[in-house]
């Protein structure tokens, strides 16, 4: 099938390249000229395992191409995917500026009948609004149908998730549009949930809100466990074995970040507010998450009292491992607070440093490795559970630091490992170990 994808961010690029891999012919359109040039030269602008290889293969086979030109990109396409950003607006609601602009761009250049498919996460009712914008701005006499195909990939495993996701959701109020989408997705060989437009939009928000709730819930249990002498590792394992609860997303830590959970939880609260429906569970999920980010620094300050002149090694900056994305990364608030308290901060991240430099305060110094970061440090603090950080041995802290004092915001080490290591170890929801 001939497909266009608008927006080549995490979702658009991965969608475009994976649809090309299935044998579809895909043209990806982005307004960012530099990104388009980079992509046409076979370089991925984002770090995602396996993506650059698939990109190069499908460029070479002429299954995928990139352009800034809408007219050329939309020509003869049966399906047009919308995958531009829907960031958080000032009041917490989803900002639809990019969606609106892209819808107008589509309308002005569309020359044949097509199905518009929204991949971006958009508030319930937005697909109907997109259809209205396009129909109001069409230049040529063409007919469009609209469908929602929300995306569930996780950053860091985006390509894997596209081929191995739990389900594909397609929603439309038009039977033919549903059939076309079912045919396009058949090659993924995954369960397909067919529904109406509004339910598909709602499935995306409800899923993210539920996962975010699970994280805030386990963090609240972790904080209580710590205070009353229980160990959250054991609590989560015992809970997760109950199939009704499930073991995933029960990792306690410094809370959720990234480009999705923080903005989508606020957006769904805002959807409720618009119709005067309060969502107290989700409001507390957001509050608990915010509190969680400061917990590790509060512990550190309680233990060290005064950070003036102290060297703190920050290990991990991206909002989660295997991505260079710094959007809503807890490391931003943590490094700001450490600097405010007078610490000298030396940070290490295997891939996110270039992006981190754009958002972290200028005073942060960067190290090439965990070894280098902890060398001569007074305190070390783990913020992202990268493999390189989880596998950095406890002896490394003991040998290189002034006094091996480690605050672990991601519970990377099991407590038995820490015993007798010579490291004083503080984590989340577990007792302090004076190893
Ligand atoms: N990042 C994720 O893991 C993820 C997962 C599921 C769903 N989503 C949702 O998917 C959407 C896209 O997210 P993302 O992280 O890929 O965004 P992103 O910010 O990484 O990428 C958006 C891209 O769209 C381009 N763009 C903006 N306006 C355009 C226009 N008028 N025409 C053409 N291109 C335009 C930008 O240049 C950019 O390259 C959002 O709604 C997000 O909530 C994201
Ligand atoms: O048990 C857990 C699991 C995750 N997190 C944190 O939660 C955040 C989000 O993690 P994850 O869900 O793995 O990454 P995302 O790439 O943000 O993916 C989420 O957001 C995407 C955008 O909507 C959805 O498509 C995915 O299904 C959904 O998992 C990260 O900061 C993690 O550190 C925890 O603290 N504890």
């Amino acid at each position: 099938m001939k497909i266009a994808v608008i927006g080549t961010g995490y979702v658009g690029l991965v969608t475009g390249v994976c649809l090309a891999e299935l044998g579809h012919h895909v043209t990806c359109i982005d307004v960012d000229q530099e990104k388009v040039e980079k992509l046409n030269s076979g370089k991925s602008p984002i770090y995602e395992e396996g993506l650059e290889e698939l990109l190069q293969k499908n460029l070479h086979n002429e299954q995928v191409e990139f352009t800034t030109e809408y007219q050329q990109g939309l020509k003869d396409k049966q399906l047009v995917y919308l995958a531009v950003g829907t960031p958080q607006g000032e009041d917490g609601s989803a900002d639809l500026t990019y969606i609106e602009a892209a819808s107008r761009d589509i309308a002005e250049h569309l020359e044949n009948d097509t199905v518009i498919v929204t991949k971006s996460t958009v508030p319930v009712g937005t697909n109907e609004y997109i259809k209205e914008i396009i129909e109001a701005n069409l230049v040529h006499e063409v007919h469009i149908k609209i469908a929602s195909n929300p995306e569930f990939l996780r950053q860091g495993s985006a390509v894997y998730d596209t081929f191995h996701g739990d389900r594909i959701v397609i929603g439309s109020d038009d039977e033919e549009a549903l059939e076309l989408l079912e045919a396009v997705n058949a090659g993924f060989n995954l369960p397909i949930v067919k529904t109406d437009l509004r339910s598909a939009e709602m499935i995306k928000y409800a899923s993210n809100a539920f996962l975010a709730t699970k994280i805030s819930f386990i963090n609240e249990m972790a904080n209580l466990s710590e205070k009353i002498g229980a160990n959250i590792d054991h609590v989560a394992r015992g809970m997760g074995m109950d199939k009704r609860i499930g073991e995933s997303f029960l990792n306690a830590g410094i809370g959720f970040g990234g480009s999705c959970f923080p903005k989508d939880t606020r957006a769904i609260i805002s959807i409720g507010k618009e119709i005067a429906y309060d969502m107290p569970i989700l409001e507390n999920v957001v509050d608990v998450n915010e509190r969680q980010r400061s917990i590790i620094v509060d512990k550190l300050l309680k233990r060290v009292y005064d950070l003036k002149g102290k060297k703190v090694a920050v290990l991990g900056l991206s909002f989660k491992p295997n991505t260079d994305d710094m959007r809503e990364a807890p490391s931003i608030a943590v490094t700001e607070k450490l600097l405010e308290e007078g610490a000298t901060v030396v940070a290490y991240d295997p891939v996110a440093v270039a992006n981190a430099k754009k958002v972290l305060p200028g005073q942060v110094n960067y190290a090439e490795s965990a070894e280098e970061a902890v060398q001569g440090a007074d305190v070390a603090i783990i913020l992202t559970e990268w493999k390189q950080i989880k596998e950095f041995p406890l002896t490394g802290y003991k040998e290189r630091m002034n006094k091996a004092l480690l605050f672990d915001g991601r519970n990377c080490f099991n407590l038995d490992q820490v015993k007798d290591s010579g490291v004083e170890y503080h984590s989340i929801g577990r007792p302090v170990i004076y190893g």
Side-chain angles (χ1 to χ4, degrees), residues 208-217 219-220 255-256 261 265-266 269 279-292:
N208 272 3
F210 185 80
L211 292 169
T213 303
K214 224 174 159 186
I215 299 171
S216 279
F217 182 87
N219 282 334
E220 196 160 270
F256 56 79
F261 289 169
T265 42
R266 290 193 182 98
I269 292 169
M279 304 192 83
I281 294 181
L282 292 181
E283 282 177 15
N284 284 302
V285 165
V286 171
D287 289 349
V288 167
N289 194 54
E290 262 159 34
R291 186 177 69 180
Q292 204 64 19

Side-chain angles (χ1 to χ4, degrees), residues 189-205:
N189 213 8
L190 296 171
I192 293 182
V193 178
K194 281 203 280 181
T195 180
D196 59 276
L197 213 45
R198 287 187 169 225
S199 302
E201 293 169 328
M202 187 61 189
I203 288 171
K204 176 63 195 176
Y205 277 111

